Amino acid sequence: MRQRIEAMMETPMRKMILTLTAAMALTACVTRTAGADEIASGEWFLLALDGTRFSAEASLAFDAAGGVHGKAPCNRYSGPNGATLPAVDLSRLASTRMACPALAEENLYLQALAVMTAAELRDGHLLLTGPDGRRAEFVRDPGDKALVCLTCDG
């Protein structure tokens, strides 16, 4: 009889533990998806690259289907995010090939994007990070006079 009671107690306890574990896993997924959804909603404008304010205009946008597009200082670019947000793999971007006076800045920007590995939101800014301390900081409104660069040195 005792074994029967223990067996009955064990089954509801297992169900409860499995239910709690599933609920915790779903909560983690919702949190991650909410951040990814915010990253993928709308256009981001480059504020700083590797700790220095960027002198040219550049933008970035992720879409819900896993694509990336934007404008470098001279050309438009697009391609896949080879990872799932908040991870990034922008190593396969393609761009148009128009010449302009800001080609040096464009090359710096596109080379930086190609090595970024992670995206995070911090204080309304999108931060992309990569190896060796590489970082790109984006904002929604680059014309905001009160903008504070979170990653700028000094």
Side-chain angles (χ1 to χ4, degrees):
M1 178 72 139
R2 182 177 178 187
Q3 289 174 338
R4 201 175 212 193
I5 292 172
E6 287 176 2
M8 286 191 295
M9 293 294 284
E10 191 175 34
T11 302
M13 181 63 84
R14 281 187 188 176
K15 286 182 181 177
M16 183 172 67
I17 289 171
L18 288 173
T19 302
L20 288 172
T21 303
M24 288 170 37
L26 284 173
T27 302
C29 288
V30 168
T31 302
R32 187 182 65 136
T33 301
D37 287 346
E38 189 174 345
I39 291 170
S41 67
E43 191 169 22
W44 294 93
F45 297 91
L46 185 64
L47 178 64
L49 189 59
D50 295 326
T52 303
R53 283 192 182 260
F54 200 65
S55 60
E57 291 183 20
S59 68
L60 169 74
F62 292 90
D63 64 41
V68 179
H69 63 275
K71 184 167 182 330
C74 301
N75 293 284
R76 296 202 167 277
Y77 65 89
S78 63
N81 177 11
T84 302
L85 288 171
V88 295
D89 175 0
L90 307 177
S91 61
R92 295 181 292 158
L93 298 178
S95 68
T96 56
R97 300 281 182 198
M98 297 184 339
C100 83
L103 274 176
E105 290 88 349
E106 174 154 321
N107 288 333
L108 287 173
Y109 175 60
L110 293 175
Q111 288 170 3
L113 286 181
V115 299
M116 296 300 164
T117 57
E120 75 171 279
L121 294 173
R122 187 184 313 157
D123 298 330
H125 295 221
L126 172 63
L127 305 178
L128 299 184
T129 55
D132 302 322
R134 299 294 312 261
R135 58 195 191 272
E137 180 178 347
F138 295 84
V139 294
R140 294 286 190 191
D141 179 8
D144 182 353
K145 301 296 182 205
L147 265 181
V148 173
C149 180
L150 302 177
T151 62
C152 289
D153 302 326

